[in-house]
Amino acid sequence: MAIDTLYQEIQTEIAKYPDRRSAILAALRLAQTKYRWLSPEAFEEVARCIDLPVAQCQAVASFYDMYFLAPVGRHVVEVCTNVSCCLVGAPDVVAAFERELGCALGETSTDGAVTLRAVECLGGCGWAPVVSVDHRYLEHFQPGDAAQVVADLRAAPAEEH
Amino acid sequence: MQGPTYAAPRPDAILLDFEGERQDIAVYETAGGYAMARSQAGRPFEEIVQELKDSGLRGRGGAGFPTGLKVSFIGKGSRYLVVNADESEPGTFKDRELMLRNPHALVEGCVILCNAIGAGAAYIYIRGEYATEALVLDAAVAQARQRGYVGATLPGAPGAVEVYVHRGAGAYICGEETALLSSLNGERGQPTAKPPFPAVSGAWASPTLLNNVETVATVPFILAMGCKTYSELRTEQTTGTRLMSLSGNVARPGNYELPVTATFGDLIDGCGGGVPAGRSLKCFIPGGSSAPILMPDQLDVQIAVETCAAAGTMAGSGAVIVIDDRTCMVQLALRVADFYRHESCGKCTPCREGTRWMVELLKKVESGQAQRAEIDLLLELCDRMEGKCLCPLGDACAMPVRSYLQHFRAEFDAHVEQGGCPGGAASPFGALYPELKRSLPLVPA
């Protein structure tokens, strides 16, 4: 049963720490992997698995950038727009993705395939501009690369993010 | 589009003195790896502390605190080692390459330090975005377990050492040590007041040694070569090598491991090939985006902690961002300030309100709607933030903006006089601003 799988995965994380509370980031990540975003029902399930209040789970999740508190597309494309990436053309990469996807930053393409986000420094500055696709980094990204990436994502099934 | 490219090793390199990567433990062991984990396992705490003190090693995360002294502060009781792998200061990507190419150096450093302080476990807090790097570390720990370095008691060691990889979830502030511990303890990643210091009450309220990836990974090499040899590479107050992350408008960006005696000119022009042809150097950020800028006539400043301080800036995380003549400094200030606004945890007032007002004032200046007095107001805002916040994030927002104003006040004034950005179209940040304008309402004039 799927619920038991998530429960077991969370127990494995809890075992790493002196206090189960420390497994909360991992528990939220695992729930997001399963449900793609953290719905009210997902929070209920995480809270049950880790035996903490739902409010505590929501308070922690809302602090961090990587948890989705609203539905997202099957894939997530994140363009770094911090200093080093901007210096070598990140705004043009953003524009290329907006054109290919027909949606703006923070939005999901109408076919539900891709959510486009701008993110802060990803730690790839020496190989800028950097784009993260479902948490895989694509370095030295050029605006002309966006079309192929979007075509591949539209054809690909959903992945962990 | 291609993967990361790595610079060739430098003659003085210690941490990355090889081509390619050493993810395979057999390769690392053949190169002498884990010899120190074995031979130092039974060495008394005081001796290891003295070795580290004599080596002159200073923390490579940003603050530059003497490592031996930090280790000596650890309190009594059940202890933990926590490694700060939450590398998030804009411009910094050195720990990432180190973890990808030499993960066992970090694992070995964890084993040595845990045995030295009698800790049963090390937690590597790695930023959530580094998913690949977390898997590489997980694999390295599994290999070290198979070989008996992790999860078993080495001959002479006080006990078995466990190494866990703890993944963050996207929050710059978790690189600050008390925020990192809040996050590791399962709370929102907000800083706490010091004291108590982590050495007394850190992870799970226990005495905790908290060091950066590069610092911990350097420990095996210092013990192998001897603290005397290591400390021979030195300026007055800093020793050894540093991994310098070079990015921005430079011909050959990347990580370069340089002795601390090197200058920014050695890095930017010597290693990096200078700014691309046809452009000129406007200024450079020497230690991450929170550091005050240095000017082209300061390329002879050495990269060491005290030499940067003497030049009015900070060595920080070793992240050097090169900025050429096309960049509008008001747009750069806005981009940097908006990063810190986004990352402010909201706990203390000067930072929460100060970063927001910094962005709103800079937006007015950038769009040409500000009055001259509002440029002075930016400086007053810096006064009201610097040294007044719970953690260094408020300073990190104010210090760079103050330095841009100090060196490029005329550019700020020109925005007021001309009612807009004089160089906006050519500036690399220009195209970004329609996005920011959409998300950040202007302050009513």
Side-chain angles (χ1 to χ4, degrees):
Chain A
M1 223 165 81
I3 271 187
D4 287 338
T5 307
L6 181 61
Y7 179 86
Q8 287 306 330
E9 288 174 343
I10 292 175
Q11 302 317 303
T12 303
E13 292 294 329
I14 290 172
K16 295 178 181 173
Y17 305 97
D19 182 343
R20 70 180 187 285
R21 186 179 291 260
S22 293
I24 195 164
L25 293 187
L28 292 164
R29 185 181 71 244
L30 291 165
Q32 180 161 294
T33 300
K34 180 178 174 186
Y35 294 114
R36 316 206 45 72
W37 69 289
L38 294 174
S39 64
E41 295 75 19
F43 276 117
E44 294 280 353
E45 188 176 341
V46 168
R48 254 195 328 272
C49 291
I50 198 169
D51 193 18
L52 288 171
V54 174
Q56 170 77 6
C57 298
Q58 290 173 330
V60 169
S62 64
F63 187 83
Y64 300 90
D65 284 340
M66 291 175 66
Y67 298 121
F68 299 128
L69 305 181
V72 291
R74 294 199 308 279
H75 304 278
V76 177
V77 169
E78 297 173 314
V79 184
C80 173
T81 54
N82 209 292
V83 175
S84 297
C85 282
C86 277
L87 285 171
V88 294
D92 298 333
V93 174
V94 170
F97 273 111
E98 287 185 327
R99 201 165 50 242
E100 293 298 330
L101 291 168
C103 70
L105 285 177
E107 295 176 354
T108 301
S109 58
T110 49
D111 61 356
V114 178
T115 296
L116 179 65
R117 302 213 295 168
V119 290
E120 296 295 4
C121 187
L122 289 171
C125 329
W127 313 296
V130 178
V131 172
S132 173
V133 176
D134 296 331
H135 291 180
R136 285 192 314 276
Y137 283 19
L138 305 176
E139 279 102 350
H140 300 287
F141 202 93
Q142 296 304 308
D145 299 331
Q148 188 61 50
V149 167
V150 168
D152 290 348
L153 290 178
R154 284 195 158 126
E159 284 195 39
E160 173 186 346
H161 61 229
Chain B
M1 180 169 59
Q2 60 186 75
T5 41
Y6 303 123
R10 310 281 307 166
D12 290 318
I14 292 171
L15 282 168
L16 294 175
D17 62 339
F18 55 89
E19 305 268 0
E21 46 82 9
R22 289 179 177 164
Q23 292 181 0
D24 184 342
I25 195 166
V27 176
Y28 183 68
E29 285 182 317
T30 304
Y34 287 107
M36 292 302 111
R38 285 192 301 270
S39 68
Q40 310 283 313
R43 214 161 158 209
F45 172 72
E46 292 76 16
E47 281 188 33
I48 300 261
V49 167
Q50 199 56 50
E51 283 264 9
L52 292 175
K53 281 184 177 171
D54 292 344
S55 75
L57 177 65
R58 301 177 70 144
R60 299 296 195 234
F65 195 81
T67 305
L69 197 57
K70 193 182 219 182
V71 178
S72 77
F73 288 156
I74 188 91
K76 300 224 178 312
S78 173
R79 295 161 167 172
Y80 292 102
L81 171 69
V82 175
V83 180
N84 188 341
D86 193 61
E87 178 173 69
S88 306
E89 177 73 15
T92 317
F93 51 100
K94 67 184 179 69
D95 293 340
R96 180 174 165 223
E97 180 172 334
L98 184 54
M99 290 186 286
L100 280 174
R101 294 181 57 204
N102 210 0
H104 287 288
L106 176 58
V107 176
E108 184 179 10
C110 288
V111 173
I112 292 169
L113 285 174
C114 278
N115 280 327
I117 65 172
Y123 289 85
I124 301 172
Y125 187 109
I126 185 168
R127 63 178 299 189
E129 292 85 349
Y130 284 0
T132 305
E133 292 72 11
L135 295 177
V136 167
L137 284 178
D138 276 335
V141 171
Q143 290 179 347
R145 183 182 304 280
Q146 280 187 336
R147 302 280 291 122
Y149 303 118
V150 169
T153 306
L154 288 164
V161 171
E162 287 294 337
V163 178
Y164 297 106
V165 179
H166 177 96
R167 289 164 70 169
Y172 165 81
I173 190 57
C174 290
E176 194 277 335
E177 60 179 5
T178 63
L180 184 152
L181 291 167
S182 297
S183 180
L184 180 60
N185 287 336
E187 305 292 341
R188 291 162 71 85
Q190 290 186 315
T192 55
K194 292 186 278 194
F197 288 90
V200 174
S201 178
W204 306 290
S206 299
T208 300
L209 175 63
L210 211 167
N211 277 120
N212 167 262
V213 169
E214 185 184 347
T215 316
V216 175
T218 302
V219 169
F221 297 95
I222 288 175
L223 295 174
M225 70 171 64
C227 56
K228 188 169 173 299
T229 308
Y230 184 82
S231 66
E232 280 164 4
L233 268 176
R234 70 177 307 140
T235 59
E236 196 180 329
Q237 296 173 32
T238 312
T239 60
T241 61
R242 278 208 77 154
L243 290 180
M244 302 296 291
S245 299
L246 180 64
S247 67
N249 301 128
V250 63
R252 292 188 297 275
N255 286 310
Y256 296 93
E257 184 178 359
L258 296 179
V260 292
T261 50
T263 65
F264 287 104
D266 294 335
L267 176 68
I268 294 171
D269 294 328
C271 301
V275 295
R279 302 184 210 154
S280 61
L281 178 65
K282 184 166 189 171
C283 59
F284 60 98
I285 296 172
S289 68
S290 58
I293 47 167
L294 293 178
M295 300 298 283
D297 64 359
Q298 291 173 298
L299 283 168
D300 58 347
V301 171
Q302 290 177 305
I303 61 174
V305 175
E306 76 279 12
T307 49
C308 286
T313 184
M314 59 185 199
S317 56
V320 177
I321 305 177
V322 181
I323 292 160
D324 75 22
D325 52 337
R326 297 170 308 158
T327 291
C328 164
M329 294 307 286
V330 177
Q331 290 183 352
L332 178 66
L334 179 50
R335 183 65 279 264
V336 169
D338 193 51
F339 168 73
Y340 292 104
R341 178 201 60 79
H342 176 255
E343 301 296 345
S344 174
C345 83
K347 183 169 182 174
C348 76
T349 311
C351 176
R352 181 184 64 241
E353 299 301 316
T355 53
R356 189 172 68 87
W357 276 102
M358 188 75 81
V359 168
E360 295 192 359
L361 281 170
L362 284 166
K363 277 201 68 65
K364 279 186 84 173
V365 176
E366 198 273 332
S367 60
Q369 296 175 40
Q371 296 167 359
R372 194 177 292 271
E374 286 172 303
I375 297 175
D376 293 319
L377 191 57
L378 278 171
L379 288 168
E380 194 186 322
L381 189 54
C382 292
D383 291 339
R384 286 169 189 266
M385 294 168 73
E386 286 171 353
K388 297 180 175 64
C389 302
L390 183 59
C391 85
L393 196 146
D395 288 351
C397 182
M399 290 187 304
V401 173
R402 182 190 291 285
S403 78
Y404 304 168
L405 274 159
Q406 181 192 337
H407 292 289
F408 296 100
R409 172 75 191 228
E411 273 190 39
F412 286 73
D413 288 338
H415 282 70
V416 173
E417 287 153 11
Q418 299 180 26
C421 184
S427 173
F429 296 89
L432 191 67
Y433 282 96
E435 304 308 327
L436 274 182
K437 276 166 186 155
R438 212 179 295 157
S439 57
L440 298 167
L442 282 174
V443 179

